[in-house]
Amino acid sequence: MLTLIFSTICSVIAGLGIALFIKMQRLKELTDKVFTLNASLEEMDEQAKLIIRTDIELNKTQEELDKKITGLSTLQKLSQEISTTLEESQIFKKIGNAYLEELGFEKSSAFLWNSLAREFHLYLSLGYNESESLKIKNTVNAEKDYYLDLMHGGKTASSVFIPKGFLAKEKICRLFQVNEFIICPIIPQEGNPGFIFVGTQNIETRITEGEREIITILANQIGQTLDNARLFEKTWRSQQELEIKVEERTHQLTQALEEVKKISKRKSDFISSVSHEIRTPLTSIKGYAAILLASKLGALPEEIRSRLEKINRHSDELVHMVNDLLDISRIESGKMEIRKETLSLKTIADKIADLFSEQFKIKNISFGINIPNDCHEIFADRSQIERVFINLVGNALKFTPQNGKIDIDANCANKIIQINIKDTGFGIPLDAQESIFEEFFRVDNTINQEVKGTGLGLTLVKHIIEAHQGKIWVKSKVGEGSTFSFTLKASE
Ligand code: ADP
């Protein structure tokens, strides 16, 4: 019985042992699982922390990016605003509160160095009242050497970066009443440099690299605009000076012209009255000579006749000269009446050929006319234009030696006809070519000593052509000949 009980107990104990063992096994398994779970939980926790950290970082970057974009667009607007400004004082006025606040700064100052006064001048002061601005200006000037060094170093200082040797952050913050700031040099190519200060009182704001870059770009832009303004002012000033000079000169010239006109009128009046005075006795001399030559007062001995003929010839020349003088003064004073009509150049040229035919024959000069059909109708005063031809062809004849050649030709363009009278005469030296149209000018050479003349013919011709709104000029080479050219309006 005992044995049975013992064996039963034994078997119960064995059963319990097995059950315990199984439970132990199960417990171990469970403990292992809990451990693994704990490890995964920790891992997950780490990952969650990482995600949160990354999210914060991302948000920060996004914020900075947004700030940078706002900064850049504000900078663009501001640059546009100031780059069109050409007055130094206006440049800083354009940098208004709104722009700087958009950039995140409520306080701002800008200084330019005045090398004559050897001090900084305050050009911009935003966020400060008058006495604060004055205090800032005075303190900056008291510590000017630091700011000058900063400008010459060309580096941007900020609350996160203070160049070596520059003022301490706290000092600047105190002076400009800010918590964070940027100070950037303004360096134009010409003229005085300066610097711009921007800052904020916001204790949460930290100056970023992007903000430093934006303010540096703004300072460069101000430097360039200052250069443009100075260049513009320089150009504007010299233009003003030039205008004043031109005005003064014009005034002087107008006065001189008035004087010349007065003198010229006096001269014309004098020539005109003298010519009139001479013409009356000349007519009597010519009249008496003609009566005597006609033997109306009895036959004349040959000696007296030849002298009388001389008197007659010289009187003719004098009358001719007096008439030319009178005509010149009439044209000069605008008293010569010009009666314009349609004329044929061909007809005038033929008339001239006829007039000088004897002289051409005597000197064996060939005379050619080449006037195209579509270039021969002019609108001018007949008797005046005939005098032009007579004078020019007469001169060509006078100054062309035996067996020479004289040609008249014409060409036209834009309702203007150009007439050329060309000879193979002695030619005119270059230095005399400008003067031959002046009154009484005759080239000083042996030919002119033999050939008679007054030096009035070309003056009269020029006056007549100009009274017809034409131009006259000469091209000549000594020993080869001369070409006198003039223009007249073609008939409509
Ligand atoms: P004049 O013939 O009475 O001397 P003009 O005024 O007609 O006065 O001419 C001025 C001067 O121009 C002449 O003296 C002469 O020296 C020069 N001249 C004019 N026409 C010619 C020409 N065709 N060839 C050479 N010289 C000329």
Side-chain angles (χ1 to χ4, degrees), residues 343-350 371 375-376 378 389 410 417 419:
L343 305 171
S344 159
L345 274 177
K346 282 185 180 187
T347 315
I348 296 174
D350 287 343
I371 297 172
C375 275
H376 86 113
I378 53 166
F389 275 91
I417 299 188
I419 299 122

Side-chain angles (χ1 to χ4, degrees), residues 320 324 391-400 406 421-429 432-433 435-445 447-448 451-461 474 476 481-484:
H320 190 78
D324 277 356
N391 265 295
L392 293 179
V393 177
N395 275 350
L397 188 65
K398 258 201 283 185
F399 299 105
T400 301
I406 297 171
I421 297 175
K422 190 174 178 208
D423 65 50
T424 54
F426 302 113
I428 305 161
Q433 284 177 23
S435 313
I436 54 168
F437 294 100
E438 286 166 17
E439 283 164 36
F440 302 111
F441 182 87
R442 304 193 75 220
V443 179
D444 187 16
N445 58 20
I447 304 144
N448 256 352
V451 184
K452 276 190 183 146
T454 57
L456 286 173
L458 287 179
T459 314
L460 182 64
V461 164
V474 66
S476 183
S482 313
T483 303
F484 281 84

Side-chain angles (χ1 to χ4, degrees), residues 240-289:
Q240 290 292 102
E241 278 167 20
L242 207 73
E243 266 175 29
I244 291 172
K245 270 190 196 152
V246 168
E247 225 167 76
E248 277 172 11
R249 204 84 193 98
T250 313
H251 182 69
Q252 284 170 357
L253 284 174
T254 318
Q255 274 184 333
L257 191 70
E258 283 304 312
E259 200 54 34
V260 168
K261 271 187 191 163
K262 259 191 228 159
I263 295 170
S264 170
K265 186 175 177 312
R266 248 181 268 145
K267 185 202 75 179
S268 292
D269 290 351
F270 173 74
I271 290 176
S272 166
S273 61
V274 169
S275 307
H276 274 296
E277 292 304 319
I278 293 173
R279 211 153 58 163
T280 320
L282 252 180
T283 319
S284 314
I285 294 171
K286 252 194 78 67
Y288 286 125

Side-chain angles (χ1 to χ4, degrees), residues 314-348:
H314 287 304
S315 305
D316 277 343
E317 280 164 14
L318 260 175
V319 169
H320 190 78
M321 181 175 153
V322 166
N323 284 342
D324 277 356
L325 272 174
L326 274 172
D327 284 340
I328 289 169
S329 69
R330 256 190 234 133
I331 295 178
E332 275 179 350
S333 60
K335 283 183 196 146
M336 169 82 86
E337 205 190 332
I338 303 226
R339 271 187 245 115
K340 286 189 184 172
E341 57 183 314
T342 298
L343 305 171
S344 159
L345 274 177
K346 282 185 180 187
T347 315
I348 296 174

